[in-house]
């Protein structure tokens, strides 16, 4: 190995390992959305806390409530999947997800922090293509959550405790 590779490894933050959602139906609370320049290039990462979970596959337990899981866009077509997640979180239409909106959600004001999003994670079959065998991957479906007055008050309390500005200021 070259000295530059060794230097990069020695100065890197130790990985604690990402947790991913298992098949199931979820209500998730966003903890943070950020960008990271990593091994596979620049990526967007959303850390979410499982608020509620429901088993949807007979032989697979869903991810338990309380666990912090990650959503990122590092894989092929990951940008589109991450965009779908952000659209649901922001309650935005396709044309409204611009580079400016994406930048706003990853900056220090963290307008997505503590917002809720609903998601379904399910097995998705990819057929054989270009001589490569088919396989089963995880599919994702996201939907927005309009918080009740009580939920909105709880979100604002959590934002204040985390020293984040109120939602109205974070979205400005």
């Amino acid at each position: 190995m070259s000295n530059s590779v060794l230097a990069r490894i020695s100065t890197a933050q130790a990985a604690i390992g990402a947790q991913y959602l298992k098949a199931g139906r979820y209500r998730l609370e966003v903890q943070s959305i950020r960008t990271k320049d990593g091994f596979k290039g620049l990526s967007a990462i959303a850390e979410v806390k499982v608020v509620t979970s429901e088993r949807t596959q007979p032989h697979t337990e869903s991810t338990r409530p309380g666990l912090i899981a990650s959503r990122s866009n590092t894989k092929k077509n990951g940008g589109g999947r991450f965009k779908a997640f952000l659209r649901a979180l922001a309650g935005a239409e396709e044309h409204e997800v611009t580079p400016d909106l994406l930048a706003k959600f990853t900056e220090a004001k963290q307008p997505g922090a503590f917002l809720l999003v609903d998601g379904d994670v399910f097995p998705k079959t990819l057929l054989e293509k270009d001589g490569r065998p088919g396989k089963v991957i995880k599919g994702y479906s996201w939907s927005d959550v309009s918080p009740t007055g009580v939920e909105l008050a709880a979100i604002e309390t959590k934002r204040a405790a985390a020293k984040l500005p109120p939602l109205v200021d974070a979205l400005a």
Side-chain angles (χ1 to χ4, degrees):
M1 273 199 227
S2 72
N3 284 340
S4 65
V5 171
L6 295 174
R8 185 171 179 162
I9 292 169
S10 70
T11 59
Q13 180 179 354
I16 57 174
Q19 294 284 334
Y20 300 102
L21 295 171
K22 298 175 188 173
R25 183 165 293 121
Y26 299 96
R27 164 105 0 131
L28 305 168
E29 177 187 80
V30 172
Q31 302 301 290
S32 69
I33 300 175
R34 59 188 165 83
T35 57
K36 179 182 179 184
D37 192 7
F39 176 70
K40 295 182 181 181
L42 188 63
S43 62
I45 301 167
E47 291 183 344
V48 295
K49 181 178 181 180
V50 177
V51 177
T52 62
S53 68
E54 177 185 334
R55 181 184 204 166
T56 58
Q57 299 297 313
H59 303 292
T60 305
E61 289 294 328
S62 59
T63 303
R64 64 179 167 74
L67 187 106
I68 304 292
S70 298
R71 285 286 314 128
S72 67
N73 71 336
T74 56
K75 296 181 181 175
K76 183 180 179 184
N77 298 324
R81 288 190 293 269
F82 197 84
K83 181 179 182 179
F85 170 81
L86 193 61
R87 277 186 61 204
L89 180 67
E93 296 295 325
E94 179 83 21
H95 69 278
E96 294 174 311
V97 182
T98 63
D100 289 341
L101 180 71
L102 292 166
K104 184 178 285 191
F105 271 82
T106 60
E107 65 185 18
K109 291 182 181 180
Q110 286 291 305
F114 308 110
L115 292 182
L116 302 170
V117 65
D118 286 340
D120 284 302
V121 180
F122 51 90
K124 181 177 178 180
T125 303
L126 298 180
L127 301 175
E128 181 181 335
K129 184 177 179 184
D130 299 328
R132 297 165 82 179
K135 61 182 177 178
V136 177
I137 63 169
K138 289 181 184 174
Y140 299 88
S141 174
W142 305 105
S143 56
D144 66 321
V145 174
S146 296
T148 64
V150 170
E151 289 170 329
L152 190 55
I155 290 167
E156 292 294 8
T157 299
K158 290 175 184 179
R159 290 185 63 80
K163 296 185 177 18
L164 292 171
L167 275 174
V168 68
D169 294 338
L171 291 168

